PDB file of all heavy atoms in Angstrom:
ATOM      1  N   VAL A 261     -86.116 199.397 -65.448  1.00 96.00           N
ATOM      2  CA  VAL A 261     -85.497 198.117 -65.034  1.00 96.00           C
ATOM      3  C   VAL A 261     -86.446 197.455 -64.061  1.00 96.00           C
ATOM      4  O   VAL A 261     -87.018 198.051 -63.106  1.00 96.00           O
ATOM      5  CB  VAL A 261     -84.120 198.447 -64.333  1.00 96.00           C
ATOM      6  CG1 VAL A 261     -83.714 197.138 -63.648  1.00 96.00           C
ATOM      7  CG2 VAL A 261     -83.151 198.922 -65.295  1.00 96.00           C
ATOM      8  N   ASP A 262     -86.623 196.071 -64.227  1.00 98.00           N
ATOM      9  CA  ASP A 262     -87.531 195.375 -63.272  1.00 98.00           C
ATOM     10  C   ASP A 262     -87.115 195.432 -61.912  1.00 98.00           C
ATOM     11  O   ASP A 262     -85.829 195.497 -61.646  1.00 98.00           O
ATOM     12  CB  ASP A 262     -87.613 193.920 -63.773  1.00 98.00           C
ATOM     13  CG  ASP A 262     -88.601 193.111 -63.133  1.00 98.00           C
ATOM     14  OD1 ASP A 262     -89.749 193.033 -63.615  1.00 98.00           O
ATOM     15  OD2 ASP A 262     -88.306 192.549 -62.028  1.00 98.00           O
ATOM     16  N   PRO A 263     -88.019 195.494 -60.889  1.00 98.00           N
ATOM     17  CA  PRO A 263     -87.583 195.614 -59.522  1.00 98.00           C
ATOM     18  C   PRO A 263     -86.708 194.444 -59.079  1.00 98.00           C
ATOM     19  O   PRO A 263     -85.871 194.594 -58.245  1.00 98.00           O
ATOM     20  CB  PRO A 263     -88.931 195.574 -58.782  1.00 98.00           C
ATOM     21  CG  PRO A 263     -89.873 196.157 -59.755  1.00 98.00           C
ATOM     22  CD  PRO A 263     -89.429 195.699 -61.093  1.00 98.00           C
ATOM     23  N   TYR A 264     -86.871 193.236 -59.713  1.00 98.00           N
ATOM     24  CA  TYR A 264     -86.016 192.132 -59.405  1.00 98.00           C
ATOM     25  C   TYR A 264     -84.553 192.387 -59.836  1.00 98.00           C
ATOM     26  O   TYR A 264     -83.573 192.241 -59.035  1.00 98.00           O
ATOM     27  CB  TYR A 264     -86.446 190.792 -60.057  1.00 98.00           C
ATOM     28  CG  TYR A 264     -85.508 189.688 -59.986  1.00 98.00           C
ATOM     29  CD1 TYR A 264     -85.393 188.914 -58.878  1.00 98.00           C
ATOM     30  CD2 TYR A 264     -84.543 189.496 -61.077  1.00 98.00           C
ATOM     31  CE1 TYR A 264     -84.516 187.840 -58.857  1.00 98.00           C
ATOM     32  CE2 TYR A 264     -83.585 188.480 -60.999  1.00 98.00           C
ATOM     33  CZ  TYR A 264     -83.592 187.643 -59.855  1.00 98.00           C
ATOM     34  OH  TYR A 264     -82.684 186.664 -59.800  1.00 98.00           O
ATOM     35  N   ILE A 265     -84.355 192.909 -61.034  1.00 98.00           N
ATOM     36  CA  ILE A 265     -82.996 193.338 -61.542  1.00 98.00           C
ATOM     37  C   ILE A 265     -82.367 194.401 -60.641  1.00 98.00           C
ATOM     38  O   ILE A 265     -81.230 194.345 -60.327  1.00 98.00           O
ATOM     39  CB  ILE A 265     -83.037 193.717 -62.920  1.00 98.00           C
ATOM     40  CG1 ILE A 265     -83.324 192.502 -63.859  1.00 98.00           C
ATOM     41  CG2 ILE A 265     -81.720 194.341 -63.385  1.00 98.00           C
ATOM     42  CD1 ILE A 265     -82.318 191.377 -63.886  1.00 98.00           C
ATOM     43  N   ALA A 266     -83.320 195.384 -60.236  1.00 98.00           N
ATOM     44  CA  ALA A 266     -82.767 196.436 -59.312  1.00 98.00           C
ATOM     45  C   ALA A 266     -82.286 195.815 -58.077  1.00 98.00           C
ATOM     46  O   ALA A 266     -81.334 196.319 -57.451  1.00 98.00           O
ATOM     47  CB  ALA A 266     -83.918 197.414 -59.123  1.00 98.00           C
ATOM     48  N   LEU A 267     -82.910 194.774 -57.534  1.00 98.00           N
ATOM     49  CA  LEU A 267     -82.441 194.115 -56.298  1.00 98.00           C
ATOM     50  C   LEU A 267     -81.111 193.452 -56.518  1.00 98.00           C
ATOM     51  O   LEU A 267     -80.128 193.617 -55.782  1.00 98.00           O
ATOM     52  CB  LEU A 267     -83.502 193.210 -55.839  1.00 98.00           C
ATOM     53  CG  LEU A 267     -83.178 192.330 -54.511  1.00 98.00           C
ATOM     54  CD1 LEU A 267     -84.574 192.016 -53.860  1.00 98.00           C
ATOM     55  CD2 LEU A 267     -82.479 191.047 -54.858  1.00 98.00           C
ATOM     56  N   VAL A 268     -81.026 192.600 -57.660  1.00 98.00           N
ATOM     57  CA  VAL A 268     -79.780 191.863 -57.808  1.00 98.00           C
ATOM     58  C   VAL A 268     -78.557 192.815 -58.079  1.00 98.00           C
ATOM     59  O   VAL A 268     -77.489 192.554 -57.609  1.00 98.00           O
ATOM     60  CB  VAL A 268     -79.943 190.867 -58.956  1.00 98.00           C
ATOM     61  CG1 VAL A 268     -78.672 190.132 -59.253  1.00 98.00           C
ATOM     62  CG2 VAL A 268     -81.092 189.865 -58.647  1.00 98.00           C
ATOM     63  N   GLY A 269     -78.867 193.774 -58.877  1.00 98.00           N
ATOM     64  CA  GLY A 269     -77.831 194.835 -59.114  1.00 98.00           C
ATOM     65  C   GLY A 269     -77.190 194.824 -60.475  1.00 98.00           C
ATOM     66  O   GLY A 269     -76.226 195.520 -60.799  1.00 98.00           O
ATOM     67  N   GLY A 270     -77.680 193.926 -61.377  1.00 98.00           N
ATOM     68  CA  GLY A 270     -77.179 193.864 -62.768  1.00 98.00           C
ATOM     69  C   GLY A 270     -78.016 192.864 -63.581  1.00 98.00           C
ATOM     70  O   GLY A 270     -78.777 192.059 -63.051  1.00 98.00           O
ATOM     71  N   GLU A 271     -77.869 193.005 -64.907  1.00 98.00           N
ATOM     72  CA  GLU A 271     -78.723 192.175 -65.858  1.00 98.00           C
ATOM     73  C   GLU A 271     -77.848 191.594 -66.957  1.00 98.00           C
ATOM     74  O   GLU A 271     -77.072 192.358 -67.649  1.00 98.00           O
ATOM     75  CB  GLU A 271     -79.754 193.093 -66.469  1.00 98.00           C
ATOM     76  CG  GLU A 271     -80.687 192.388 -67.428  1.00 98.00           C
ATOM     77  CD  GLU A 271     -81.725 193.336 -67.994  1.00 98.00           C
ATOM     78  OE1 GLU A 271     -81.872 194.487 -67.605  1.00 98.00           O
ATOM     79  OE2 GLU A 271     -82.679 192.823 -68.761  1.00 98.00           O
ATOM     80  N   ALA A 272     -77.984 190.358 -67.243  1.00 98.00           N
ATOM     81  CA  ALA A 272     -77.225 189.652 -68.186  1.00 98.00           C
ATOM     82  C   ALA A 272     -77.746 189.988 -69.563  1.00 98.00           C
ATOM     83  O   ALA A 272     -79.026 190.074 -69.692  1.00 98.00           O
ATOM     84  CB  ALA A 272     -77.258 188.129 -68.047  1.00 98.00           C
ATOM     85  N   ILE A 273     -76.860 190.146 -70.597  1.00 96.00           N
ATOM     86  CA  ILE A 273     -77.370 190.451 -71.854  1.00 96.00           C
ATOM     87  C   ILE A 273     -76.799 189.457 -72.941  1.00 96.00           C
ATOM     88  O   ILE A 273     -76.965 189.642 -74.191  1.00 96.00           O
ATOM     89  CB  ILE A 273     -76.865 191.899 -72.342  1.00 96.00           C
ATOM     90  CG1 ILE A 273     -75.456 192.110 -72.139  1.00 96.00           C
ATOM     91  CG2 ILE A 273     -77.840 192.930 -71.572  1.00 96.00           C
ATOM     92  CD1 ILE A 273     -75.032 193.544 -72.603  1.00 96.00           C
ATOM     93  N   GLY A 274     -76.140 188.399 -72.503  1.00 96.00           N
ATOM     94  CA  GLY A 274     -75.605 187.416 -73.427  1.00 96.00           C
ATOM     95  C   GLY A 274     -74.208 186.956 -72.978  1.00 96.00           C
ATOM     96  O   GLY A 274     -73.697 187.359 -71.934  1.00 96.00           O
ATOM     97  N   HIS A 275     -73.619 186.128 -73.888  1.00 97.00           N
ATOM     98  CA  HIS A 275     -72.311 185.622 -73.558  1.00 97.00           C
ATOM     99  C   HIS A 275     -71.621 185.171 -74.850  1.00 97.00           C
ATOM    100  O   HIS A 275     -72.357 184.888 -75.861  1.00 97.00           O
ATOM    101  CB  HIS A 275     -72.332 184.469 -72.569  1.00 97.00           C
ATOM    102  CG  HIS A 275     -73.187 183.307 -73.014  1.00 97.00           C
ATOM    103  ND1 HIS A 275     -72.643 182.317 -73.913  1.00 97.00           N
ATOM    104  CD2 HIS A 275     -74.488 182.970 -72.822  1.00 97.00           C
ATOM    105  CE1 HIS A 275     -73.606 181.443 -74.114  1.00 97.00           C
ATOM    106  NE2 HIS A 275     -74.722 181.806 -73.398  1.00 97.00           N
ATOM    107  N   GLY A 276     -70.274 185.160 -74.801  1.00 98.00           N
ATOM    108  CA  GLY A 276     -69.574 184.506 -75.857  1.00 98.00           C
ATOM    109  C   GLY A 276     -69.246 183.105 -75.610  1.00 98.00           C
ATOM    110  O   GLY A 276     -69.778 182.445 -74.804  1.00 98.00           O
ATOM    111  N   PRO A 277     -68.154 182.535 -76.329  1.00 98.00           N
ATOM    112  CA  PRO A 277     -67.858 181.114 -76.162  1.00 98.00           C
ATOM    113  C   PRO A 277     -67.250 180.907 -74.819  1.00 98.00           C
ATOM    114  O   PRO A 277     -66.591 181.870 -74.208  1.00 98.00           O
ATOM    115  CB  PRO A 277     -66.856 180.861 -77.311  1.00 98.00           C
ATOM    116  CG  PRO A 277     -66.288 182.252 -77.646  1.00 98.00           C
ATOM    117  CD  PRO A 277     -67.406 183.218 -77.422  1.00 98.00           C
ATOM    118  N   GLN A 278     -67.381 179.740 -74.262  1.00 98.00           N
ATOM    119  CA  GLN A 278     -66.725 179.385 -73.057  1.00 98.00           C
ATOM    120  C   GLN A 278     -65.229 179.513 -73.281  1.00 98.00           C
ATOM    121  O   GLN A 278     -64.658 179.136 -74.255  1.00 98.00           O
ATOM    122  CB  GLN A 278     -67.098 178.002 -72.579  1.00 98.00           C
ATOM    123  CG  GLN A 278     -68.538 177.857 -72.126  1.00 98.00           C
ATOM    124  CD  GLN A 278     -68.782 176.508 -71.509  1.00 98.00           C
ATOM    125  OE1 GLN A 278     -67.960 175.857 -70.939  1.00 98.00           O
ATOM    126  NE2 GLN A 278     -69.978 176.088 -71.735  1.00 98.00           N
ATOM    127  N   GLN A 279     -64.503 180.114 -72.257  1.00 98.00           N
ATOM    128  CA  GLN A 279     -63.129 180.352 -72.396  1.00 98.00           C
ATOM    129  C   GLN A 279     -62.506 180.582 -71.002  1.00 98.00           C
ATOM    130  O   GLN A 279     -63.282 180.845 -70.016  1.00 98.00           O
ATOM    131  CB  GLN A 279     -62.817 181.619 -73.238  1.00 98.00           C
ATOM    132  CG  GLN A 279     -63.584 182.860 -72.745  1.00 98.00           C
ATOM    133  CD  GLN A 279     -63.532 183.922 -73.814  1.00 98.00           C
ATOM    134  OE1 GLN A 279     -62.569 184.597 -74.100  1.00 98.00           O
ATOM    135  NE2 GLN A 279     -64.777 184.149 -74.361  1.00 98.00           N
ATOM    136  N   GLU A 280     -61.202 180.551 -70.949  1.00 98.00           N
ATOM    137  CA  GLU A 280     -60.528 180.932 -69.735  1.00 98.00           C
ATOM    138  C   GLU A 280     -60.355 182.478 -69.640  1.00 98.00           C
ATOM    139  O   GLU A 280     -59.925 183.067 -70.661  1.00 98.00           O
ATOM    140  CB  GLU A 280     -59.152 180.243 -69.576  1.00 98.00           C
ATOM    141  CG  GLU A 280     -58.515 180.496 -68.243  1.00 98.00           C
ATOM    142  CD  GLU A 280     -57.331 179.548 -67.958  1.00 98.00           C
ATOM    143  OE1 GLU A 280     -57.243 178.563 -68.627  1.00 98.00           O
ATOM    144  OE2 GLU A 280     -56.622 179.893 -66.968  1.00 98.00           O
ATOM    145  N   ALA A 281     -60.770 183.091 -68.601  1.00 97.00           N
ATOM    146  CA  ALA A 281     -60.689 184.484 -68.439  1.00 97.00           C
ATOM    147  C   ALA A 281     -60.319 184.820 -67.011  1.00 97.00           C
ATOM    148  O   ALA A 281     -60.487 184.079 -66.072  1.00 97.00           O
ATOM    149  CB  ALA A 281     -61.996 185.123 -68.786  1.00 97.00           C
ATOM    150  N   SER A 282     -59.708 186.067 -66.867  1.00 95.00           N
ATOM    151  CA  SER A 282     -59.224 186.451 -65.523  1.00 95.00           C
ATOM    152  C   SER A 282     -60.200 187.347 -64.775  1.00 95.00           C
ATOM    153  O   SER A 282     -60.938 188.162 -65.433  1.00 95.00           O
ATOM    154  CB  SER A 282     -57.926 187.249 -65.802  1.00 95.00           C
ATOM    155  OG  SER A 282     -56.957 186.394 -66.391  1.00 95.00           O
ATOM    156  N   LEU A 283     -60.274 187.196 -63.525  1.00 96.00           N
ATOM    157  CA  LEU A 283     -61.011 187.996 -62.668  1.00 96.00           C
ATOM    158  C   LEU A 283     -60.114 188.686 -61.660  1.00 96.00           C
ATOM    159  O   LEU A 283     -59.290 188.008 -60.968  1.00 96.00           O
ATOM    160  CB  LEU A 283     -62.091 187.118 -61.843  1.00 96.00           C
ATOM    161  CG  LEU A 283     -63.056 186.407 -62.743  1.00 96.00           C
ATOM    162  CD1 LEU A 283     -63.908 185.559 -61.740  1.00 96.00           C
ATOM    163  CD2 LEU A 283     -63.983 187.395 -63.445  1.00 96.00           C
ATOM    164  N   LEU A 284     -60.073 190.001 -61.551  1.00 95.00           N
ATOM    165  CA  LEU A 284     -59.302 190.755 -60.562  1.00 95.00           C
ATOM    166  C   LEU A 284     -60.080 190.756 -59.220  1.00 95.00           C
ATOM    167  O   LEU A 284     -61.257 190.944 -59.259  1.00 95.00           O
ATOM    168  CB  LEU A 284     -59.000 192.136 -61.045  1.00 95.00           C
ATOM    169  CG  LEU A 284     -58.150 192.323 -62.252  1.00 95.00           C
ATOM    170  CD1 LEU A 284     -57.847 193.776 -62.511  1.00 95.00           C
ATOM    171  CD2 LEU A 284     -56.767 191.605 -61.990  1.00 95.00           C
ATOM    172  N   MET A 285     -59.328 190.609 -58.176  1.00 94.00           N
ATOM    173  CA  MET A 285     -60.028 190.539 -56.853  1.00 94.00           C
ATOM    174  C   MET A 285     -59.935 191.815 -56.153  1.00 94.00           C
ATOM    175  O   MET A 285     -58.840 192.517 -56.142  1.00 94.00           O
ATOM    176  CB  MET A 285     -59.383 189.438 -56.002  1.00 94.00           C
ATOM    177  CG  MET A 285     -59.436 188.028 -56.593  1.00 94.00           C
ATOM    178  SD  MET A 285     -59.039 186.711 -55.426  1.00 94.00           S
ATOM    179  CE  MET A 285     -57.398 187.130 -54.982  1.00 94.00           C
ATOM    180  N   ILE A 286     -61.027 192.204 -55.437  1.00 90.00           N
ATOM    181  CA  ILE A 286     -60.946 193.328 -54.511  1.00 90.00           C
ATOM    182  C   ILE A 286     -61.008 192.641 -53.132  1.00 90.00           C
ATOM    183  O   ILE A 286     -62.078 192.313 -52.629  1.00 90.00           O
ATOM    184  CB  ILE A 286     -62.087 194.298 -54.706  1.00 90.00           C
ATOM    185  CG1 ILE A 286     -62.262 194.776 -56.199  1.00 90.00           C
ATOM    186  CG2 ILE A 286     -61.951 195.480 -53.760  1.00 90.00           C
ATOM    187  CD1 ILE A 286     -61.049 195.536 -56.673  1.00 90.00           C
ATOM    188  N   PRO A 287     -59.880 192.387 -52.559  1.00 83.00           N
ATOM    189  CA  PRO A 287     -59.760 191.338 -51.467  1.00 83.00           C
ATOM    190  C   PRO A 287     -60.204 191.819 -50.110  1.00 83.00           C
ATOM    191  O   PRO A 287     -59.551 191.629 -49.163  1.00 83.00           O
ATOM    192  CB  PRO A 287     -58.324 190.948 -51.523  1.00 83.00           C
ATOM    193  CG  PRO A 287     -57.619 192.124 -51.857  1.00 83.00           C
ATOM    194  CD  PRO A 287     -58.517 192.837 -52.923  1.00 83.00           C
ATOM    195  N   ARG A 288     -61.342 192.546 -50.066  1.00 87.00           N
ATOM    196  CA  ARG A 288     -61.883 192.959 -48.686  1.00 87.00           C
ATOM    197  C   ARG A 288     -63.020 192.056 -48.256  1.00 87.00           C
ATOM    198  O   ARG A 288     -63.373 192.047 -47.177  1.00 87.00           O
ATOM    199  CB  ARG A 288     -62.364 194.380 -48.736  1.00 87.00           C
ATOM    200  CG  ARG A 288     -61.339 195.459 -49.101  1.00 87.00           C
ATOM    201  CD  ARG A 288     -61.900 196.835 -49.004  1.00 87.00           C
ATOM    202  NE  ARG A 288     -62.965 197.041 -49.996  1.00 87.00           N
ATOM    203  CZ  ARG A 288     -64.343 197.231 -49.659  1.00 87.00           C
ATOM    204  NH1 ARG A 288     -64.593 197.276 -48.418  1.00 87.00           N
ATOM    205  NH2 ARG A 288     -65.243 197.436 -50.618  1.00 87.00           N
ATOM    206  N   PHE A 289     -63.570 191.285 -49.180  1.00 93.00           N
ATOM    207  CA  PHE A 289     -64.784 190.582 -48.930  1.00 93.00           C
ATOM    208  C   PHE A 289     -64.480 189.189 -48.260  1.00 93.00           C
ATOM    209  O   PHE A 289     -63.521 188.546 -48.633  1.00 93.00           O
ATOM    210  CB  PHE A 289     -65.557 190.336 -50.266  1.00 93.00           C
ATOM    211  CG  PHE A 289     -66.930 189.875 -50.045  1.00 93.00           C
ATOM    212  CD1 PHE A 289     -67.930 190.757 -49.585  1.00 93.00           C
ATOM    213  CD2 PHE A 289     -67.376 188.539 -50.255  1.00 93.00           C
ATOM    214  CE1 PHE A 289     -69.257 190.324 -49.452  1.00 93.00           C
ATOM    215  CE2 PHE A 289     -68.553 188.078 -50.096  1.00 93.00           C
ATOM    216  CZ  PHE A 289     -69.621 189.003 -49.682  1.00 93.00           C
ATOM    217  N   PRO A 290     -65.355 188.758 -47.321  1.00 91.00           N
ATOM    218  CA  PRO A 290     -65.151 187.458 -46.721  1.00 91.00           C
ATOM    219  C   PRO A 290     -65.086 186.376 -47.819  1.00 91.00           C
ATOM    220  O   PRO A 290     -65.861 186.423 -48.744  1.00 91.00           O
ATOM    221  CB  PRO A 290     -66.434 187.266 -45.815  1.00 91.00           C
ATOM    222  CG  PRO A 290     -66.897 188.687 -45.590  1.00 91.00           C
ATOM    223  CD  PRO A 290     -66.517 189.466 -46.820  1.00 91.00           C
ATOM    224  N   GLY A 291     -64.181 185.363 -47.593  1.00 87.00           N
ATOM    225  CA  GLY A 291     -64.059 184.348 -48.593  1.00 87.00           C
ATOM    226  C   GLY A 291     -62.947 184.739 -49.606  1.00 87.00           C
ATOM    227  O   GLY A 291     -61.971 184.043 -49.696  1.00 87.00           O
ATOM    228  N   VAL A 292     -63.199 185.847 -50.190  1.00 88.00           N
ATOM    229  CA  VAL A 292     -62.101 186.357 -51.188  1.00 88.00           C
ATOM    230  C   VAL A 292     -60.872 186.681 -50.455  1.00 88.00           C
ATOM    231  O   VAL A 292     -59.800 186.336 -50.855  1.00 88.00           O
ATOM    232  CB  VAL A 292     -62.619 187.545 -52.041  1.00 88.00           C
ATOM    233  CG1 VAL A 292     -61.567 188.141 -52.879  1.00 88.00           C
ATOM    234  CG2 VAL A 292     -63.858 187.121 -52.858  1.00 88.00           C
ATOM    235  N   ARG A 293     -60.996 187.556 -49.352  1.00 80.00           N
ATOM    236  CA  ARG A 293     -59.765 187.859 -48.653  1.00 80.00           C
ATOM    237  C   ARG A 293     -59.176 186.779 -47.987  1.00 80.00           C
ATOM    238  O   ARG A 293     -57.903 186.683 -47.727  1.00 80.00           O
ATOM    239  CB  ARG A 293     -60.152 188.951 -47.653  1.00 80.00           C
ATOM    240  CG  ARG A 293     -60.963 188.410 -46.492  1.00 80.00           C
ATOM    241  CD  ARG A 293     -61.487 189.613 -45.621  1.00 80.00           C
ATOM    242  NE  ARG A 293     -62.287 189.166 -44.449  1.00 80.00           N
ATOM    243  CZ  ARG A 293     -63.287 189.891 -43.968  1.00 80.00           C
ATOM    244  NH1 ARG A 293     -63.496 191.107 -44.424  1.00 80.00           N
ATOM    245  NH2 ARG A 293     -64.026 189.401 -42.976  1.00 80.00           N
ATOM    246  N   ASP A 294     -59.868 185.651 -47.776  1.00 76.00           N
ATOM    247  CA  ASP A 294     -59.342 184.447 -47.040  1.00 76.00           C
ATOM    248  C   ASP A 294     -58.579 183.562 -47.994  1.00 76.00           C
ATOM    249  O   ASP A 294     -57.849 182.652 -47.577  1.00 76.00           O
ATOM    250  CB  ASP A 294     -60.434 183.683 -46.373  1.00 76.00           C
ATOM    251  CG  ASP A 294     -61.027 184.401 -45.236  1.00 76.00           C
ATOM    252  OD1 ASP A 294     -60.335 184.983 -44.368  1.00 76.00           O
ATOM    253  OD2 ASP A 294     -62.331 184.547 -45.164  1.00 76.00           O
ATOM    254  N   ILE A 295     -58.760 183.706 -49.354  1.00 79.00           N
ATOM    255  CA  ILE A 295     -57.954 182.978 -50.392  1.00 79.00           C
ATOM    256  C   ILE A 295     -56.528 183.383 -50.156  1.00 79.00           C
ATOM    257  O   ILE A 295     -55.619 182.583 -50.068  1.00 79.00           O
ATOM    258  CB  ILE A 295     -58.471 183.178 -51.773  1.00 79.00           C
ATOM    259  CG1 ILE A 295     -59.877 182.547 -51.911  1.00 79.00           C
ATOM    260  CG2 ILE A 295     -57.450 182.659 -52.790  1.00 79.00           C
ATOM    261  CD1 ILE A 295     -60.491 182.871 -53.229  1.00 79.00           C
ATOM    262  N   GLY A 296     -56.268 184.728 -50.136  1.00 66.00           N
ATOM    263  CA  GLY A 296     -55.020 185.271 -49.650  1.00 66.00           C
ATOM    264  C   GLY A 296     -53.785 184.815 -50.496  1.00 66.00           C
ATOM    265  O   GLY A 296     -52.686 184.776 -49.950  1.00 66.00           O
TER     266      GLY A 296
END
């Protein structure tokens, strides 16, 4: 893995069609926990 990808923490491999999708929150992080 390239050192840049190792820094970022993940690598994109493609995508499907644009669509509405759900994201589950782990609400400990600043900003996310403030949505509340």
Side-chain angles (χ1 to χ4, degrees):
V261 171
D262 188 89
Y264 169 85
I265 292 294
L267 179 151
V268 179
E271 180 177 358
I273 53 176
H275 59 82
Q278 293 187 31
Q279 58 194 285
E280 185 164 347
S282 299
L283 301 173
L284 293 184
M285 300 192 302
I286 310 296
R288 298 184 299 113
F289 193 75
V292 174
R293 68 186 178 214
D294 296 311
I295 291 174

